[in-house]
Amino acid sequence: MKASRIAAVGALAGSAVLLLSGPAFAHVSVAAEGTAAKGGYATVNFKVPNERDDATTTKLEVNFPTDHPLASAQPEAVPGWDIKVTKAKLDKPLELHGEQIDEAVSKITWTADGAGIKAGFFQKFPVSIGQLPENTDELVFKAIQTYSNKEVVRWIEVPKDGEDEPENPAPVLALSAASADHHGSSGASTASDESENADDADDAKAASKETAAEPAATSDTTARVLGVVGIVVGAAGVAYGVLAGRRRTNA
């Protein structure tokens, strides 16, 4: 009986580790460098992990929100990637720095001109965006990730409050409260605003060089290791139980 209990506990431990490790895998996400205040400008990074062991990520398409179009979206050059910016006509023109804007960026596509993002690594794709809307708390950017084996993963499911995270959640950028000195508050750009944008671009470029091929979050690797350990422990428990049972029978 004791041996059987040990085997059962070992098997349950292995299963529990696998269940806990499942949700740890990363997905395409977006985050601001600093804050993304309503009515202002921000530099955001689209973070793309490679989740396949037998393929590299060779393409990323990010669709910009149509319900809250952004008049300005300027991607930073990323070594090893070709960038294409697609614009579309707006049904309702936007006003930016006193001018009427009748088109906005609808999609940005990054295509690797080499190996792309290898297994166990991630890549950040910086974009300067603005003027951020003041009538919403978040912006949804639906993304499509393509692998070298032609597999396509669509990160397009919009998370809903009070519900579990969907299997393929779309990147969501949370917006903070508008600041008193945000860009566009007076309807015109100032010299200090332009200087701040230049500083943000320099910081983004430095960050991009440092993170161009950083290893993926250690939580992913840890989860996989724990999963393997759980299987080994469970199998060992079962084997021990069987051997103990045979010894008692022979006795």
Side-chain angles (χ1 to χ4, degrees):
M1 181 65 70
K2 184 176 181 181
S4 299
R5 289 180 179 177
I6 293 175
V9 170
L12 288 173
S15 300
V17 170
L18 287 177
L19 289 174
L20 290 173
S21 66
F25 298 120
H27 49 74
V28 175
S29 60
V30 61
E33 295 183 2
T35 60
K38 298 178 182 180
Y41 288 76
T43 296
V44 300
N45 287 302
F46 291 95
K47 181 180 178 182
V48 183
N50 188 79
E51 297 182 303
R52 302 293 181 266
D53 295 328
D54 57 351
T56 62
T57 295
T58 57
K59 186 177 181 180
L60 173 69
E61 299 175 55
V62 174
N63 292 280
F64 278 61
T66 57
D67 53 345
H68 298 289
L70 299 172
S72 175
Q74 298 178 326
E76 180 182 338
V78 179
W81 295 80
D82 292 326
I83 306 174
K84 179 182 178 181
V85 178
T86 303
K87 295 184 177 182
K89 290 289 185 179
L90 297 175
D91 294 333
K92 182 180 180 180
L94 298 175
E95 184 174 336
L96 180 66
H97 304 319
E99 297 183 3
Q100 292 291 318
I101 306 298
D102 60 358
E103 66 177 13
V105 173
S106 60
K107 180 174 66 175
I108 297 181
T109 305
W110 290 266
T111 304
D113 57 18
I117 308 172
K118 299 179 181 180
F121 289 80
F122 71 86
Q123 175 72 54
K124 287 183 179 180
F125 299 93
V127 182
S128 175
I129 60 175
Q131 185 172 336
L132 299 175
E134 299 186 56
N135 57 346
T136 184
D137 294 325
E138 62 184 24
L139 293 175
V140 178
F141 298 86
K142 296 183 178 182
I144 300 176
Q145 181 178 14
T146 302
Y147 287 91
S148 57
N149 60 3
K150 307 304 181 182
E151 179 186 1
V152 177
V153 181
R154 302 179 183 278
W155 305 100
I156 61 175
E157 300 177 62
V158 181
K160 297 181 180 179
D161 293 337
E163 297 184 7
D164 293 336
E165 184 179 70
E167 183 177 356
N168 295 309
V172 177
L173 176 67
L175 303 181
S176 60
S179 58
D181 59 347
H182 67 66
H183 299 290
S185 59
S186 62
S189 175
T190 64
S192 61
D193 292 342
E194 294 175 358
S195 175
E196 183 177 341
N197 280 338
D199 291 341
D200 288 344
D202 291 340
D203 292 342
K205 181 176 292 185
S208 176
K209 291 181 179 179
E210 294 176 359
T211 61
E214 293 183 16
T218 56
S219 60
D220 294 348
T221 303
T222 302
R224 295 186 183 185
V225 173
L226 289 176
V228 174
V229 172
I231 293 175
V232 173
V233 172
V238 173
Y240 179 80
V242 172
L243 292 175
R246 288 182 177 177
R247 290 175 180 175
R248 283 166 38 194
T249 299
N250 294 335

